[in-house]
Amino acid sequence: MDWRAPVMDYCERQSSAFWAEPANALSNFAFVIAAASAFLLWRRRGGADYPALALIIVTASVGVGSFVFHTVATRGAKLLDVVPIAIFIYGYFLLALRRYFRLSIVWATAITLGFAAGSSFATTVDALNGSVGYLPALAALAIFAALLWTRRGQRATAHALAAAALLFAISLVFRTIDRAICPAVPLGAHVLWHMLNACVLWLLLRAAIFAGPRGDQASPIQNAKEPTAA
């Protein structure tokens, strides 16, 4: 595979020039803003939640990596776009199982690996302009929101995840129709995919931070019920 081969997947890009996708490139700063805002919230909450901090850093890297991809626009640069997104999806999935559902590390890891395997298979389906690979993440958000709605004290988290799922579904629509609307809208709709997804990640980070430890409190993950010796 030629990692230097140009990628011409979006309406806005009409050449292989570095600045051929200014809107798609600059809209990635929405992820950096989301990460910065989440970091300030993390600091106000005491700065003790290191799993959330890791996801904040990944969110910023999503913006940086996607900026590089939408400027350099090669197969190699595409890895800088998709890898941070995958890390956030699977990292948040694992954190949700531990933090929201109080699963043990063994069960949470096993379920996450199964989810990753299913998601990887979905990426091989060539449909919906490549959006099929994101449908497992959307389904997971919706299922988590529904399950948390039934748990006492988890309604706020359920609301946040449901709102994130709705925004994510809308953003997937814009990602899917990007090529189809090129003749009518030369700029395309991919820029809306970026901006809405930045809001999605912000909602998810906010939910995780508010459900996490504050100050010198012990982590809810550490407080998860584990089998004790007799």
Side-chain angles (χ1 to χ4, degrees), residues 10-87:
Y10 308 100
C11 293
E12 189 180 19
R13 180 165 289 279
Q14 298 298 312
S15 74
S16 60
F18 180 87
W19 206 241
E21 296 179 66
N24 286 345
L26 292 176
S27 59
N28 284 294
F29 282 99
F31 292 105
V32 178
I33 293 171
S37 179
F39 179 74
L40 292 177
L41 177 60
W42 180 83
R43 288 288 300 271
R44 288 198 298 270
R45 295 279 295 179
D49 187 356
Y50 295 107
L53 177 61
L55 288 174
I56 291 171
I57 294 172
V58 173
T59 298
S61 71
V62 168
V64 173
S66 186
F67 175 84
V68 173
F69 171 56
H70 285 286
T71 49
V72 177
T74 62
R75 287 180 177 175
K78 189 172 184 177
L79 292 176
L80 297 176
D81 180 40
V82 299
V83 170
I85 294 173
I87 292 174

Side-chain angles (χ1 to χ4, degrees), residues 118-135:
S119 298
S120 297
F121 174 77
T123 61
T124 65
V125 179
D126 186 15
L128 301 179
N129 194 26
S131 296
V132 173
Y134 292 101
L135 293 182

Side-chain angles (χ1 to χ4, degrees), residues 93-94 97-98 102-114:
F93 189 92
L94 177 63
L97 293 177
R98 295 281 282 146
R102 301 293 193 267
L103 295 187
S104 69
I105 186 62
V106 174
W107 275 108
T109 301
I111 295 172
T112 301
L113 290 175

